[in-house]
């Protein structure tokens, strides 16, 4: 974790109000003194730097304009006024900070103190502190409760009328969960202005029927919005029967939501007017803002505490009967339903709303986020988790502002409701298009896919596939496993379905003997009663339905794909409507004679329907997605395995010492790498450094021949690929020859050599850490050795890893099936788990490669390694804040 940006960040309070948190400087000293003078003894929470409790005046005298590593001081500002101060002073010999906190009386019990504490925890961890210590009056039960509810481990000491509370700064899962829960309450409260407003104004309402401002107002009225509707147009008396006012300032009441449909040059002024008037949220439909217009708009949002959707968006909608908000320019209103949709593309929003309506599905809420100046996918994940009307969430994201937080929020929601996302930007051309479309930063596909898979997000590649999966999900539910039976009255269609199942991770098990016996009694002799089941074309509908009953009742079958074609003697599909939901097992239907890609097959009375697809590929693909999601849910409920223990303090101390010397970072030497890997419990083949051939020969003799001799030279990172390794050296002459060869190759860049005893032969793999400024560290695994880049068989997951995720990483290579037959996978998983924990605990590791990692018997040993450090940069991804 790192310190927050110096200019500060916007944060939400539990009531949805927006405050600004930023570091205090000497310019804030008068405001700090004023806050101090307004406090009485009951308002002063914690001791300030050994002075009297709540002595803010002492703090004011010690402020400076520059960051000070010996102390931290943060202020909370509401509408420009200081309402809270949090600070600590470092006690370096104890690696702890002395904590202090004070909040103005009118802001107490509003969550300000907790926000300040969260910031101080993050800054302290970024400075390498292990504890914060607070001295609290014993009678101050409110403050003691705030500290207790923070979610971090606490210990207590008692000194007369005071309590000394020590906060341990390692962020356990409980802390991150508590932080996310607090953020969720605040997020939902602020989004009520967007999705459940009691009043709306359309700024830029137009009398022209072809204008966006006209369409948005018309849609609000046509949907029957339950709140007040207002309009702003300085040149019109009324639009669509709604009286117009010249500006937001002239409105008779303050609306909660403003839909802004003016020209790009007018957007900043309108947003500023909304902020001054006290509007809760704005939806900026307008596109094409210049850089200056965009920055002025963002500044208005920051200054006035607004929530903003857009710009460059389609609008927002909520089909809840008590709201009926359609502040969009959709051609037709979205059909009511239980699917929540957030998309950066207005075109995708239009396509999905139309496609879902066509198949009988609908939306609970829709947010077209456009350029995402403020409201983002993370906000909507919080909203949907607390919205009982939303049963499934859909995201179309062209960029990620905070992917690590997205992962936690999506995982929490996916445990309760399915989360689906359209993969976008997998190719360079698509990334360029997304960047020009929504000012998005290109997201590497491998990082995005790892994020989705680890968070339980059902990722799809097309809008058609999204609708296919939603239809199966909403009409049939999840299968208990991936074992599928295929039933068809046309043998060829059944074969196609079987092939499609294999492509999408589904298996066709052998049917139970009792099932096959039932099928033989039902079907003619020429029918096939294996799996797939071919009933032949002439079976009547009741017989076909009885065959489906037999398959659903087979304990070895988790789902059934039914492929039917009508013939001159009948249509087996006539028997399906009463049998599409038996014993909780999904039944998907394929009807190749139909033109629609997917449509509902309506049931008989008293039961849900099912999805009917035109192609077996679509049915198998949808079922495969659901089976993988069901497996992920089962894994979440499995008891966790205690992670391996690392010497985290030792690793952090080593890295801090190296960065103190190296400044901007760089590559570690062999000794430092060995110590770092030792802290992580990763076995590294022992190497000894020699500056000359004579010393190298002595080391080789002591180690025992044969040995490997490796060059240590400036700029030589890949020793094998760079010609810096000689293996199997068996005598002193061989050592001398190797050293002379390196001297001839590397010249003055050669610093010496490493001597390493040869290890038993094994499979050469690669394992490591790859840092990413946006996504955080990834754990990388693949085939190793000299040709690792040529083979390029690698997989990656975001750190840290669970036991299950480490197993998935091992199984994620093209060569994984062959590796499973020759490599002790437990040893490999152990290394990957340790790398994930190390990457998470020490984010200064920019790169770490173990190549080759030799695996034999039940051990994994790194023969060569390299590590590059860089100072921490960016913000703590888990801190509560709105987009900048």
């Amino acid at each position: 974790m790192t310190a927050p940006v110096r200019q500060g960040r916007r944060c939400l309070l539990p009531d949805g109000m927006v405050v600004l948190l930023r570091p205090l400087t000497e310019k804030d000293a008068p405001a700090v003194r004023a806050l101090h003078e307004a406090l009485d003894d009951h308002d002063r929470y914690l001791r300030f730097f050994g002075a009297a409790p709540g002595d803010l005046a002492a703090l004011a005298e010690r402020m400076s304009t520059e960051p000070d590593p010996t102390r931290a001081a943060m202020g909370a500002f509401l509408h420009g006024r200081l309402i809270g101060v949090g600070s600590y002073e470092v006690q370096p010999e104890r690696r702890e900070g002395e904590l202090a906190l004070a909040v103005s009386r009118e802001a107490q019990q509003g969550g300000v103190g907790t926000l300040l504490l969260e910031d101080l925890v993050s800054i302290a961890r970024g400075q390498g502190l292990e504890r914060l210590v607070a001295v609290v009056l014993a009678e101050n039960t409110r403050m003691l409760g705030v500290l207790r509810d923070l979610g971090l481990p606490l210990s207590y000491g008692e000194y007369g009328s005071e309590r000394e509370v020590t906060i341990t700064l390692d962020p356990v899962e409980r802390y991150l969960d508590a932080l996310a829960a607090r953020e969720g309450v605040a997020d939902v409260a602020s989004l009520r202005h967007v999705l459940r407003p009691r009043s709306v104004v359309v700024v830029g309402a137009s009398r022209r029927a072809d204008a966006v401002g006209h369409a948005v107002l018309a849609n609000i009225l046509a949907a029957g919005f339950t709140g007040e509707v207002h309009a702003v147009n300085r040149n019109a008396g009324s639009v669509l029967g709604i009286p117009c006012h010249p500006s937001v300032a002239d409105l008779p009441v303050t609306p909660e939501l403003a839909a802004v449909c003016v020209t790009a040059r007018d957007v900043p002024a309108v947003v500023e007017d909304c902020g001054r008037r006290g509007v809760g949220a704005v939806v900026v439909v307008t596109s094409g803002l210049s850089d200056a217009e965009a920055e002025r708009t963002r500044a208005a949002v920051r200054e006035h505490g607004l929530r903003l959707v857009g710009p460059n968006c389609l609008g927002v909608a909520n089909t809840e009967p008590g709201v009926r908000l359609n502040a969009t320019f959709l051609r037709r209103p979205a059909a009511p339903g239980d699917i929540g949709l957030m998309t950066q593309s207005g075109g995708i929003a239009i396509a999905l709303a139309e496609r879902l309506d066509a198949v009988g599905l609908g939306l609970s809420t829709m947010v077209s986020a456009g350029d995402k100046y403020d409201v983002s996918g993370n906000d909507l994940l919080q909203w949907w988790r607390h919205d009982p009307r939303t049963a499934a969430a859909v995201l179309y994201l062209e960029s990620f502002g905070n992917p690590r937080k997205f992962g936690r929020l999506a995982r929490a929601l996916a445990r309760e409701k399915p989360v689906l996302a359209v993969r976008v930007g997998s190719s360079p051309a698509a990334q360029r298009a997304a960047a020009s479309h929504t000012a998005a930063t290109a997201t590497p596909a491998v990082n995005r896919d790892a994020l989705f898979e680890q968070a339980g997000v059902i990722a799809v590649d097309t809008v058609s596939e999204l609708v296919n999966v939603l239809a199966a999900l909403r009409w049939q539910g999840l299968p208990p496993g991936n074992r599928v039976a295929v039933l068809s009255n046309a043998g060829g269609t059944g074969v196609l379905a079987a092939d499609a199942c294999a492509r999408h991770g589904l298996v066709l098990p052998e049917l139970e003997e009792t099932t096959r016996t039932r099928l033989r009694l039902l079907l003619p002799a020429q029918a096939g009663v294996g799996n797939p089941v071919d009933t032949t074309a002439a079976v009547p509908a009741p017989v076909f339905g009885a065959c489906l009953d037999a398959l659903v009742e087979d304990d070895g079958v988790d789902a059934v794909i039914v492929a039917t074609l009508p013939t001159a003697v009948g249509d087996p599909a006539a028997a399906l409507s009463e049998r599409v939901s038996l014993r909780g097992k999904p039944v998907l239907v394929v009807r190749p004679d139909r033109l629609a890609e997917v449509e509902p097959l309506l049931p008989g009375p008293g039961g849900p329907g099912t999805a009917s697809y035109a192609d077996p590929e679509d049915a198998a693909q949808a079922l495969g997605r659901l089976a993988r999601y069901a497996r992920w849910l089962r894994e979440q409920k499995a008891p966790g395995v205690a992670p391996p223990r690392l010497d985290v303090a030792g690793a952090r101390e080593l890295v801090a010492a190296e960065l103190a010397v190296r400044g901007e970072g760089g590559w570690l030497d062999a000794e430092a790498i060995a110590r770092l890997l030792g802290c992580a419990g990763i076995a590294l083949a022992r190497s000894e450094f020699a500056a000359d051939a004579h010393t190298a020969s002595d080391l080789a003799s002591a180690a025992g021949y044969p040995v490997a001799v490796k060059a240590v030279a400036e700029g030589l990172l890949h020793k094998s690929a760079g010609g810096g390794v000689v293996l199997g050296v068996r005598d002193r002459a061989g050592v001398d020859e190797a050293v002379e060869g390196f001297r001839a190759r590397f010249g003055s860049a050669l610093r010496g050599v490493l001597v390493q005893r040869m290890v038993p032969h094994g499979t050469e793999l690669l394992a490591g850490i790859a840092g990413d400024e946006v996504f955080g560290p990834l754990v990388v695994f693949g085939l190793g050795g000299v040709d690792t880049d040529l083979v390029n068989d690698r997989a990656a997951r975001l750190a840290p890893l669970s036991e299950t995720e480490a197993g998935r990483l091992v199984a994620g290579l093209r060569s994984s099936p062959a590796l499973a037959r020759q490599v002790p996978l437990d040893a490999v998983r152990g290394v990957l788990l340790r790398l994930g924990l190390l990457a998470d605990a020490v984010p200064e590791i920019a790169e770490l490669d173990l190549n080759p990692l030799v695996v034999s018997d039940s051990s994994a040993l790194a023969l060569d390694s390299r590590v590059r450090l860089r100072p921490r940069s960016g913000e703590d991804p888990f801190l509560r804040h709105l987009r900048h």
Side-chain angles (χ1 to χ4, degrees), residues 462-762:
T462 66
V463 172
S464 295
E465 185 187 352
L466 178 62
V467 176
N468 291 343
V469 174
L470 281 169
L473 181 65
R474 301 308 304 134
W475 295 330
Q476 284 288 288
L478 299 176
N482 69 337
R483 302 168 301 175
V484 178
V486 174
L487 173 66
S488 175
N489 71 330
T493 307
V495 171
L496 290 175
D499 283 344
C501 286
R503 283 191 291 272
H504 296 290
L506 304 170
V507 298
L508 270 65
E510 184 176 344
L511 301 177
E512 293 177 349
E513 181 57 37
T514 55
T515 303
R516 294 198 300 272
T517 299
R518 288 177 64 181
L519 293 172
R520 291 190 192 100
L521 294 173
L522 289 166
L523 297 172
Q526 67 270 28
V529 295
N531 191 10
V533 176
D534 179 7
T535 66
T536 72
V539 295
V543 172
F544 193 85
C547 292
L548 175 57
D549 292 342
L551 294 177
V552 171
E553 292 166 11
D554 189 313
D555 290 335
V557 171
D558 299 313
V560 181
I561 292 178
V562 181
T564 71
L565 282 166
T567 69
V569 295
D571 184 359
L576 298 180
S577 62
E578 297 176 0
R579 292 180 165 89
V580 294
S581 183
L582 301 174
R583 293 172 177 80
K585 297 180 180 180
V587 176
L588 301 187
V589 176
V590 177
R591 305 176 77 186
D593 60 307
R594 310 289 288 193
L595 295 178
E597 292 180 5
V598 61
E599 58 186 352
L601 180 69
L602 298 178
T610 189
S612 173
Y613 301 88
D615 194 304
E617 180 74 20
D618 294 337
Q621 186 180 54
L623 193 55
R625 300 288 190 208
L626 299 191
R628 280 190 288 278
Y629 174 52
R631 180 182 65 183
W632 181 87
L633 284 175
R634 290 193 299 273
E635 291 168 351
Q636 302 306 298
K637 297 176 182 177
V641 178
R645 296 193 64 81
L646 275 63
D647 180 7
V648 172
R652 288 175 178 166
E653 187 174 346
L654 182 153
V655 168
E658 291 287 338
L659 286 174
V661 174
R662 299 172 185 273
E664 293 303 311
W667 298 96
L668 295 184
D669 59 31
E671 180 183 354
I673 291 173
R675 289 168 53 208
L676 181 64
L677 295 180
C679 291
I682 296 173
L684 177 65
R686 182 173 179 177
S687 299
E688 298 285 351
F689 176 79
D692 53 59
H694 179 75
T695 306
S697 296
D698 289 345
L699 291 174
S701 298
Y705 291 102
V707 297
V709 183
K710 303 180 179 181
V712 178
E714 295 293 334
L716 179 64
L717 299 178
H718 296 280
K719 291 184 174 61
S720 295
V725 177
V726 177
L727 302 176
V729 178
R730 296 187 173 276
D731 51 34
R732 297 181 70 92
V735 174
D736 292 343
E737 182 180 348
V739 175
E740 288 306 313
F742 293 154
R743 200 175 305 281
R745 178 182 292 271
F746 301 110
S748 61
L750 185 72
R751 293 174 46 221
V753 297
L754 295 175
V755 178
Q756 187 180 84
R757 186 172 183 178
M758 295 292 291
V759 301
H761 178 72

Side-chain angles (χ1 to χ4, degrees), residues 393-461:
V394 174
L395 298 156
Y396 174 90
L397 298 171
E398 294 175 349
S399 64
F400 291 90
N402 189 341
R404 297 194 75 188
K405 182 179 286 187
F406 173 90
R408 286 191 67 86
L409 296 177
R411 183 182 296 109
L413 179 58
R415 290 182 180 130
E416 302 173 11
K417 306 173 183 180
V419 180
L420 298 91
V422 181
R423 278 189 286 244
V424 63
S426 296
S427 68
Q431 289 184 344
R432 289 193 299 271
S436 65
H437 174 219
T438 59
T441 300
T443 297
V446 65
N447 298 5
R448 175 208 61 203
D449 292 346
L451 176 67
F452 284 163
E453 183 168 349
Q454 288 175 245
V457 174
I458 303 172
V460 301
D461 294 308

Side-chain angles (χ1 to χ4, degrees), residues 62 148 556 560:
R62 305 177 70 161
R148 184 182 61 251
V560 181

